[in-house]
């Protein structure tokens, strides 16, 4: 007899906290992939009426706590400065897909990140004790996500985390949303896909030079899993203390 207790159930619903370009973009892809979505932000469910109407019957708006508790995993698409307002207890024991990066002009200077004591994902894990933090979608521009989903060849995305089961769950979602998931190591290694590393957003540009002039005009270009692994392995750690953006 097959022991089905160790076989994870397929993803059916995700919570999304954060309704900016990344959060709303992933919500759209999730609905298109047949998942139910519970979306939340800091402004309240009423502010999400337009997005939910666009997403259709598979989506509903809620408070962050309900979004944290409702899904098979939780997508976190908020700035580091918003972490103190998160329902930390509700995220305990949950798989949390973090999409964010450290931007000092927005987040303020954070000594542990500037000194390279921690990678951003490690700090996020520290701020969410008990959660199973996994990093993904932080190394690709928001408008490249819908442009490259389902591309030929399939576009690869790095996934980083410390818990193998949580990482597998996020890789399942990445696959469902139309990308090729690549295991890119632990949270401590997640600097490899942070800003200014060798595996950050410019790798998905159709024209890297033009990207610096008008990044929104760039249509994006697929990156294969083999190429992404090469870029991650060759990545360099940025001088975070010198980062101004």
């Amino acid at each position: 007899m097959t022991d089905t207790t160790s076989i994870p159930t397929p993803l059916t619903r995700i919570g999304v906290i954060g309704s900016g370009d990344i959060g709303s973009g992933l919500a759209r892809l999730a609905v298109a992939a047949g998942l139910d979505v519970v979306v939340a932000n800091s402004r309240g469910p009423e502010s999400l009426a337009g997005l939910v109407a666009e997403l259709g019957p598979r989506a509903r708006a809620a408070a962050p706590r309900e979004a944290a508790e409702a899904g098979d995993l939780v997508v976190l698409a908020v700035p580091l400065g918003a972490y103190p307002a998160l329902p930390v207890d509700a995220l305990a024991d949950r798989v949390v897909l973090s999409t964010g990066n450290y931007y000092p002009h927005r987040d303020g200077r954070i000594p542990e990140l500037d000194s390279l004591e921690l990678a951003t994902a490690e700090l996020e894990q520290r701020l969410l004790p008990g959660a199973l933090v996994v990093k993904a979608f932080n190394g690709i521009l928001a408008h490249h996500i819908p442009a490259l989903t389902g591309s030929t060849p399939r576009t690869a995305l790095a996934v980083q985390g410390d818990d193998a089961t949580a990482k597998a769950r996020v890789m399942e979602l990445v696959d469902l949303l139309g990308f090729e998931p690549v295991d890119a190591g632990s949270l401590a290694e997640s600097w490899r896909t942070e800003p200014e590393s060798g595996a950050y957003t410019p790798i998905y540009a159709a024209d890297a030079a033009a990207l610096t002039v008008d990044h929104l005009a760039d249509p994006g270009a697929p990156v294969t899993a083999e190429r992404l692994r090469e870029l991650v392995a060759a990545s360099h750690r940025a001088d975070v203390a010198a980062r101004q953006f």
Side-chain angles (χ1 to χ4, degrees), residues 148-155 222:
L148 294 177
T149 180
S151 63
T152 304
R154 215 162 187 236
T155 295

Side-chain angles (χ1 to χ4, degrees), residues 53-136:
E54 175 196 340
L55 294 174
R58 285 195 174 275
R60 63 184 176 89
R65 176 172 294 276
E66 187 176 356
E69 295 172 343
D72 298 317
L73 65 76
V74 184
V75 174
L76 199 54
V78 300
L80 286 170
Y83 273 59
L86 292 172
V88 176
D89 59 323
L91 292 168
D93 299 320
R94 310 291 290 174
V95 178
V96 175
L97 191 176
S98 166
T99 67
N101 291 299
Y102 170 43
Y103 301 121
H105 80 279
R106 179 196 67 187
D107 303 318
R109 304 303 322 194
I110 301 176
E112 299 96 323
L113 301 183
D114 287 346
S115 68
L116 307 185
E117 174 189 342
L118 298 173
T120 303
E122 291 179 293
L123 176 63
E124 292 169 334
Q125 180 65 83
R126 182 177 292 184
L127 294 172
L128 300 175
L132 302 172
V133 174
V134 180
K135 206 75 180 176

Side-chain angles (χ1 to χ4, degrees), residues 164-202:
T165 301
K167 187 189 291 187
R169 198 54 145 169
V170 170
M171 293 178 79
E172 179 187 357
L173 178 64
V174 171
D175 178 66
L176 280 172
L177 299 189
F179 297 90
E180 185 69 23
V182 169
D183 187 335
S186 66
L187 296 182
E189 298 173 279
S190 62
W191 57 264
R192 294 181 179 275
T193 60
E194 288 184 357
E196 301 171 298
S197 73
Y200 189 56
T201 55

